[in-house]
Amino acid sequence: MTAKLRSSLLAPALAIAFSALLCAIALLISGANPASALGVMIGQVGEGQVAVDIVNSTAIYMLAALAAAIGFQMNLLNIGVEGQYRIGALVAAIVGSALVLPPVLHWLVILLVAAVAGATWALLPAILKVTRGVHEVLSTIMMNAIAFGLAAYLIRRDQFGILIGNNVSTEPIPESGQVPGIDLGARGTVFGLVFLAVVAAAVYGVVMKRTRFGFELRASGESPTAAAAGGVNAKRMIVVSLLVSGAVGGLVGMPEILGRDHAYTLNFASGYGFAGLGIALLGRNHPVGIAFGSLLWAFLEKAKVALDNVGVPREIATIMQGAIVISVVVAYEIVKRMDLAAEQRRVGRALGTAEPAEADAGGAR
Amino acid sequence: MTDSTGSASGRAPAVALTGITKRFPGVVANSDVHLTVRSGEVHALCGENGAGKSTLMKILYGMQAPDEGTIEVNGSPVRFKSPAEAIKAGIGMVHQHFMLADNLTVLENVVLGAEDLHGIGKRARARVRELAGATGLDVDPDTLVERLGVADRQRVEILKVLYRGARIVILDEPTAVLVPQEVAELFDTLRAMRADGYTFLFISHKLDEVRAIADTVTVIRRGTTVGTVDPSTVSSRQLAEMMVGSQLPSPETRTSTVTDREVLRVENLTLRTPDGRALLDSLDLVVRAGEVLGVAGVEGNGQTELVETIMGMRRAATGRILLGGKDVTRSGTLARREAGIGYIPEDRTRHGLLLTQPLWANRILGHQTRRPAARGALLDVAGARLDTERIVEEFDVRTPGIDVAAASLSGGNQQKLVVGRELSGNPVLLIASHPTRGVDVGAQAAIWDHIRAARADGLAVLLVSADLDELIGLSDSIKVMLRGRFVADADPATVTPEDLGSAMTGAGEVDAEGHLVVDRTEEGDKG
């Protein structure tokens, strides 16, 4: 067990060290001091509301990464999280502002609406995949483009948009539909829905490890043929996993909408879905890995502002994010192969073999 | 039957492998292999699946480097780092699975990747025609490959390696995909080319074919060469004994346990390809409790499709499948498994196991809705682990523990795990597809024992196997399958492997009731 733990920590450690090295080299080439750049980024965490921002962003990234990971578990690349969370947020904001419900129930309904909207956005790629064999990467990318267009259209002032100050947004969600946060005064407010991300990660972990659904999902991912022979209905698994992935994707925008903006505005953040794909890779679809990956991502994202102060282009943080993902993918593959080969050798040794080659199969040991 | 091969004496052998050893983690695939192929002969390399034939050929073809040993081609030692170097030395390989681009013409396929030899224009065309004419590999260079049948595709593959200058051609189970007439045509081609001085290394485990074409046979067993013989001086039986080892474990069942309770009934089952060709053609069969029904046939005649249709992995066009009197034709694979079908797939790594998962997780596969692996929607990991321990114990799976990945076990132990799992949960029917393929003799005997014991307890077994001794020894009755149909019935008490073999190629005689006519007088000397 400890050997297993060691090898599962080895890969990300190697990857992060390697990508840090890459960034240090990039910084040195551009004439900056890597140590001082890292120093100001860490120092930035203590400034103003940055620490709270990091926590809030971590939760958002976790949701996005969980959505991506559900697909990854069975080798479905749901690139469409980006579109699913945008549609989820927009529909939830529109419906949420129109409903009149008591507190708690109101925002629970809004969450449900967001999840259903996200799942609906994933439905078409799922149907296309199982009936026509259309690859989900293509269809979800196209659904992303449609989502952007649709969102831009629906928020027009002749549709659901209204002018607030000099920003166009949907009708604000009444207070009963807002999720209260934890107010830390000058440090900012932690979104209440940070706990949604934690719960989602925990549920995801239990479902993957302990339920029949999770087992079938992972089996389909590892070997579709063996899963089929074992009675796993491949088409059903594709539809269900894409829909669940889309539903979780639909929730990605909710911490910001219900905790801060209370409406879908023109400034609604984009890019969480794509970040989620990278973080899911970084965390190897493991809930704890995803949590740490999200934290690292959020840190790089929020602390990079400080780099400008020491004359370092802040894009170096983006380079680092990319370098981490690539290094992790490579490092995991290498460590996985090493582990398997080591285990095969270990089994061979334990049985005193070269069994298939040497004559007396019955005489081993 | 076979031509004499005198011409080669004095010349250096075309290929000489000496002391070749190749280790993979935990497994020795080849150990001290010696193989000498004379120039201008057809040399057959025989052995069971998993005996190490493919690894050896990959080494000769430069796809893998040997850990020990030397390779000589035409007398000079070589060390290939890639197939490209092997091709340069005049060695070509025709793979069992064709590697052709369907949407290109024959000429384009032949020239693809070898454009620097004769360009892509007139000279290339002339060279292809010349080769085709000289070797009798008659295919129109301008036909699209997608229009060609299997035999013609194989010709294109052979042309490809000849175009690249091969004088030594490795044929990896070339007859597996061919019908008997096509096999005869292929052999005619090979004989003509042999007369022109080409050398062939012919990989096969079909002894009658080997005896028909080869000048020399080398037998490989469990990774090492056990002998080289002249096929005209040994019988198929002797070759078979060399392949499986002298002890030749007997799979005989004898005392009948057949009851009259029907477990599986298949009626008028037909399965078609998308373009309407029948893979299974109006099949009927019944398996009763305590009965082993064997299905014999050359691979690729519909056995795989039959098994996968009964398992619900393919949808039949017409017909019914009844399990214990209940119609399961429309049920999914899981429902059929829950109704009590166990399934030993022919390819355990593709269909039987999750290779990177631990053994206990593999225990769950196929049982994810049933005790002891699950409780409702939740997995019962403790229960699965406990039952995996039981399988490891009862089925003698050699492993240091149940937390190792399935991939780290040897083939025989993987198979024992699969057999143990499929016999768990009191199945009423076992579909066993090549249950002892590629496993060592010890594991083979153990698997036979377990199937026999389960049969005595009233299990119905549908057994598909290419190992005729296994079929005859385990089955209570045998059906012979050819091109998607059952063409003959045989009684395992009286039939010989030779009789079955000829029935499998469509040569056997069948009486009015569909029973194979067994004629004792022509034992052993066909052809």
Side-chain angles (χ1 to χ4, degrees):
Chain A
M1 218 53 199
T2 51
K4 200 169 178 184
L5 188 69
R6 193 183 56 220
S7 72
S8 61
L9 289 180
L10 182 66
L14 275 179
I16 289 170
F18 181 69
S19 52
L21 187 71
L22 276 185
C23 292
I25 291 169
L27 282 168
L28 284 173
I29 290 171
S30 66
N33 178 350
S36 73
L38 184 65
V40 295
M41 281 179 77
I42 291 174
Q44 178 74 5
V45 176
E47 299 291 320
Q49 306 192 346
V50 173
V52 167
D53 280 351
I54 289 176
V55 170
N56 287 341
S57 287
T58 301
I60 293 167
Y61 286 132
M62 274 172 74
L63 287 171
L66 289 171
I70 292 166
F72 285 168
Q73 287 281 8
M74 67 172 293
N75 289 337
L76 284 172
L77 304 174
N78 179 10
I79 311 294
V81 178
E82 187 73 21
Q84 288 145 12
Y85 92 81
R86 182 165 296 269
I87 291 297
L90 176 61
V91 172
I94 292 170
V95 174
S97 63
L99 289 175
V100 181
L101 286 169
V104 182
L105 182 63
H106 194 166
W107 57 258
L108 280 176
V109 169
I110 294 177
L111 286 181
L112 185 68
V113 168
V116 169
T120 309
W121 211 245
L123 181 63
L124 191 61
I127 292 174
L128 284 173
K129 171 113 182 155
V130 295
T131 57
R132 312 301 309 173
V134 177
H135 201 283
E136 72 281 359
V137 167
L138 299 175
S139 52
T140 53
I141 286 177
M142 288 192 278
M143 292 304 283
N144 283 347
I146 297 172
F148 271 89
L150 186 67
Y153 171 74
L154 288 179
I155 201 176
R156 278 164 54 124
R157 286 169 66 191
D158 53 0
Q159 299 299 327
F160 294 99
I162 56 168
L163 195 61
I164 295 178
N166 55 1
N167 195 4
V168 179
S169 88
T170 58
E171 198 78 47
I173 296 170
E175 197 159 334
S176 61
Q178 300 173 5
V179 178
I182 302 165
D183 192 354
L184 298 178
R187 288 279 170 202
T189 304
V190 177
F191 295 152
L193 289 181
V194 164
F195 296 100
L196 175 69
V198 175
V199 169
V203 169
Y204 165 87
V206 170
V207 167
M208 285 303 152
K209 271 252 175 293
R210 294 283 158 169
T211 67
R212 175 189 153 197
F213 173 77
F215 177 80
E216 292 189 341
L217 201 65
R218 286 184 293 132
S220 309
E222 161 144 12
S223 168
T225 48
V232 179
N233 183 333
K235 289 188 172 179
R236 195 179 136 261
M237 290 312 290
I238 289 171
V239 172
V240 171
S241 62
L242 271 178
L243 291 188
V244 174
S245 175
V248 177
L251 297 174
V252 170
M254 289 299 100
E256 288 187 348
I257 296 231
L258 298 186
R260 185 186 69 202
D261 302 343
H262 309 312
Y264 179 95
T265 72
L266 271 187
N267 301 342
F268 186 67
S270 68
Y272 291 147
F274 295 127
L277 295 169
I279 296 165
L281 283 174
L282 181 60
R284 295 313 285 177
N285 303 333
H286 191 280
V288 176
I290 284 173
F292 279 107
S294 303
L295 186 62
L296 178 63
W297 215 263
F299 162 73
L300 290 171
E301 201 60 40
K302 295 298 172 192
K304 72 183 180 188
V305 190
L307 289 176
D308 287 342
N309 303 340
V310 290
V312 175
R314 65 166 78 169
E315 283 72 17
I316 201 78
T318 314
I319 293 177
M320 180 135 185
Q321 290 170 340
I324 290 174
V325 171
I326 289 189
S327 320
V328 161
V329 172
V330 174
Y332 264 105
E333 199 52 38
I334 292 171
V335 169
K336 193 172 90 186
R337 286 183 194 186
M338 277 170 23
D339 276 355
L340 188 61
E343 185 165 86
Q344 284 175 336
R345 272 195 302 277
R346 194 165 60 81
V347 171
R349 259 202 315 278
L351 300 173
T353 32
E355 201 178 273
E358 295 304 328
D360 279 45
R365 209 166 2 190
Chain B
M1 185 163 65
T2 48
D3 304 346
S4 91
T5 54
S7 68
S9 58
R11 272 204 281 160
V15 174
L17 302 177
T18 318
I20 297 288
T21 296
K22 175 73 185 174
R23 297 183 195 86
F24 293 112
V27 172
V28 181
N30 282 147
S31 145
D32 196 27
V33 169
H34 295 265
L35 177 67
T36 305
V37 183
R38 283 169 300 159
S39 187
E41 71 166 347
V42 176
H43 192 117
L45 185 63
C46 278
E48 292 186 294
N49 286 298
K53 291 171 296 184
S54 319
T55 306
L56 187 61
M57 289 305 107
K58 282 181 183 163
I59 289 171
L60 175 58
Y61 194 48
M63 291 161 84
Q64 270 163 356
D67 296 329
E68 289 164 29
T70 56
I71 305 173
E72 283 175 39
V73 174
N74 297 324
S76 45
V78 290
R79 219 176 171 85
F80 300 135
K81 289 193 200 70
S82 70
E85 294 181 20
I87 290 167
K88 222 174 271 169
I91 297 178
M93 180 153 176
V94 176
H95 295 273
Q96 190 177 353
H97 303 286
F98 302 147
M99 303 183 175
L100 297 171
D102 273 358
N103 52 349
L104 299 183
T105 65
V106 169
L107 177 67
E108 287 164 341
N109 265 291
V110 171
V111 175
L112 189 67
E115 295 86 351
D116 49 349
L117 289 178
H118 309 283
I120 54 168
K122 250 192 229 141
R123 274 191 308 135
R125 176 181 302 268
R127 178 72 185 139
V128 171
R129 279 211 189 283
E130 183 192 328
L131 278 174
T135 56
L137 291 164
D138 204 8
V139 268
D140 174 13
D142 294 317
T143 317
L144 285 180
V145 165
E146 65 184 6
R147 302 245 173 83
L148 297 183
V150 173
D152 280 331
R153 284 170 190 242
Q154 192 172 53
R155 293 196 179 101
V156 177
E157 283 282 11
I158 297 175
L159 271 181
K160 257 170 72 178
V161 305
L162 298 185
Y163 188 82
R164 285 155 176 75
R167 300 291 295 173
I168 303 165
V169 181
I170 305 170
L171 300 167
D172 186 5
E173 309 220 0
T175 59
V177 290
L178 301 180
V179 299
Q181 304 92 304
E182 291 170 336
V183 171
E185 282 174 35
L186 172 71
F187 285 1
D188 287 342
T189 308
L190 296 189
R191 286 193 192 97
M193 290 175 66
R194 176 176 60 190
D196 290 341
Y198 286 98
T199 306
F200 291 96
L201 236 172
F202 181 94
I203 303 173
S204 180
H205 56 252
K206 293 183 191 153
L207 299 179
D208 47 341
E209 289 172 359
V210 166
R211 283 162 55 82
I213 185 73
D215 303 307
T216 315
V217 180
T218 295
V219 176
I220 185 167
R221 183 174 82 231
R222 289 206 255 143
T224 189
T225 40
V226 292
T228 300
V229 294
D230 177 347
S232 58
T233 63
V234 295
S235 68
S236 290
R237 185 79 197 168
Q238 285 169 305
L239 270 182
E241 281 182 354
M242 287 177 75
M243 271 167 67
V244 299
S246 50
Q247 61 263 64
L248 224 142
S250 148
E252 289 167 32
T253 28
R254 295 321 59 149
T255 48
S256 174
T257 56
V258 183
T259 63
D260 52 7
R261 185 162 57 83
E262 274 184 20
V263 174
L264 175 71
R265 171 176 278 274
V266 171
E267 288 173 357
N268 192 30
L269 192 71
T270 300
L271 178 77
R272 293 181 193 287
T273 57
D275 54 4
R277 201 159 50 82
L279 293 168
L280 301 178
D281 197 350
S282 328
L283 297 183
D284 296 290
L285 66 85
V286 173
V287 191
R288 296 177 179 82
E291 179 185 15
V292 178
L293 176 66
V295 175
V298 177
E299 273 175 66
N301 275 288
Q303 300 94 318
T304 305
E305 288 78 7
L306 172 64
V307 162
E308 292 185 0
T309 309
I310 294 175
M311 282 311 296
M313 295 155 70
R314 293 169 184 259
R315 282 270 173 267
T318 60
R320 295 205 304 160
I321 300 167
L322 298 145
L323 184 69
K326 235 179 68 211
D327 192 333
V328 295
T329 318
R330 298 268 136 233
S331 311
T333 305
L334 187 64
R336 296 184 198 205
R337 279 179 163 279
E338 285 170 344
I341 306 186
Y343 173 38
I344 302 172
E346 62 177 78
D347 185 343
R348 60 181 161 268
T349 55
R350 265 172 62 75
H351 289 107
L353 294 168
L354 302 169
L355 288 174
T356 69
Q357 301 278 336
L359 301 189
W360 63 264
N362 277 287
R363 168 65 182 83
I364 301 173
L365 188 65
H367 295 254
Q368 61 268 35
T369 53
R370 282 178 280 167
R371 284 175 177 259
R375 246 174 246 191
L378 292 183
L379 297 181
D380 182 352
V381 175
R385 292 183 64 99
L386 206 64
D387 204 56
T388 313
E389 300 274 16
R390 175 190 64 82
I391 291 173
V392 166
E393 177 80 15
E394 270 180 34
F395 288 77
D396 188 28
V397 181
R398 305 255 166 83
T399 170
I402 59 169
D403 285 305
V404 301
S408 40
L409 298 190
S410 71
N413 285 311
Q414 289 179 348
Q415 189 73 2
K416 284 189 277 190
L417 179 72
V418 171
V419 173
R421 177 183 72 197
E422 297 306 329
L423 287 175
S424 302
N426 296 321
V428 295
L429 171 68
L430 178 71
I431 313 272
S433 230
H434 308 280
T436 60
R437 166 172 284 180
V439 309
D440 57 80
V441 176
Q444 184 177 43
I447 290 169
W448 283 338
D449 281 342
H450 284 292
I451 291 179
R452 233 177 275 146
R455 161 183 171 274
D457 287 343
L459 181 74
V461 179
L462 182 69
L463 173 70
V464 175
S465 179
D467 179 340
L468 298 183
D469 288 323
E470 172 174 275
L471 268 181
I472 293 170
L474 280 182
S475 304
D476 294 297
S477 55
I478 295 178
K479 282 181 180 294
V480 181
M481 202 166 180
L482 180 66
R483 274 167 251 150
R485 292 163 169 272
F486 289 135
V487 293
D489 291 332
D491 179 355
T494 55
V495 78
T496 64
E498 286 77 15
D499 298 327
L500 270 186
S502 56
M504 282 159 57
T505 57
E509 278 177 66
V510 173
D511 67 19
E513 281 117 52
H515 285 285
L516 197 62
V517 176
V518 180
D519 186 356
R520 286 274 149 264
T521 56
E522 58 157 4
E523 182 102 1
D525 55 27
K526 303 168 302 212

